[in-house]
Amino acid sequence: MVERKFDVFEVIGSSPIPPTMATKIERFLKPFLKEDLPDIRPGDTVCIYQKIKEGEKEKIQSFEGVVIARKHGKEIGATITVRREISGIGVERIFPIHSPTIEKIEILKRGKVRRAKLYYLRKAKGERARIKVK
């Protein structure tokens, strides 16, 4: 009997590993991911321009504030939580980074913080609510 050696690539195809569901999902979502995003970190003061539809008109609305949290890393569902104080009332908005309604994100100031989530800013007042600039 002749022992025959074969190559794994010949048997399976060009890839040694068959495509899994995770790689199929990544390939499907890749065109929807934004690549021109700045490096947004907690503590940064950002201005986010978002498209808003009112009836048939479409306008761009800006929201400026401090990034207090960033969640879900670099995946399609990544979000940032931006906090701002308007006439003494704290307002927080959660923006999906890769959403088609987000026109652009500008970083106005880089903040120097030691936490990944700045939820303590919700209760802080005065000097404690201030973030040092890098």
Side-chain angles (χ1 to χ4, degrees):
M1 194 166 190
V2 178
E3 193 175 311
R4 185 168 175 238
K5 290 186 178 179
F6 57 89
D7 191 16
V8 176
F9 293 103
E10 290 175 9
V11 175
I12 296 175
S14 62
S15 174
I17 302 166
T20 61
M21 193 56 126
T23 56
K24 286 181 183 179
I25 291 170
E26 286 172 10
R27 271 189 284 157
F28 176 76
L29 294 175
K30 193 167 186 174
F32 300 106
L33 290 172
K34 290 184 179 178
E35 294 171 3
D36 59 337
L37 289 172
D39 181 32
I40 304 162
R41 296 187 206 137
D44 293 349
T45 303
V46 295
C47 188
I48 298 176
Y49 298 91
Q50 186 177 27
K51 289 183 213 166
I52 304 251
K53 217 174 192 183
E54 290 180 359
E56 293 178 15
K57 290 182 183 177
E58 196 173 271
K59 69 175 189 173
I60 295 176
Q61 190 178 58
S62 66
F63 188 83
E64 186 180 319
V66 178
V67 177
I68 62 168
R70 182 180 174 138
K71 293 185 178 181
H72 310 295
K74 298 191 185 303
E75 62 183 61
I76 192 85
T79 61
I80 56 171
T81 306
V82 181
R83 181 178 174 83
R84 156 184 196 187
E85 211 158 290
I86 302 170
S87 62
I89 299 168
V91 177
E92 286 183 14
R93 286 186 67 186
I94 299 170
F95 294 98
I97 294 176
H98 298 287
S99 171
T101 61
I102 302 289
E103 190 70 30
K104 70 176 178 178
I105 300 173
E106 281 181 357
I107 296 177
L108 305 175
K109 281 191 271 181
R110 286 267 183 215
K112 183 181 177 187
V113 293
R114 294 180 170 188
R115 304 275 178 277
K117 306 284 188 273
L118 307 179
Y119 297 136
Y120 67 89
L121 290 177
R122 292 172 176 164
K123 294 178 185 173
K125 288 186 170 56
E127 191 71 30
R128 296 180 101 193
R130 206 169 292 145
I131 295 174
K132 294 176 185 172
V133 180
K134 261 189 183 177

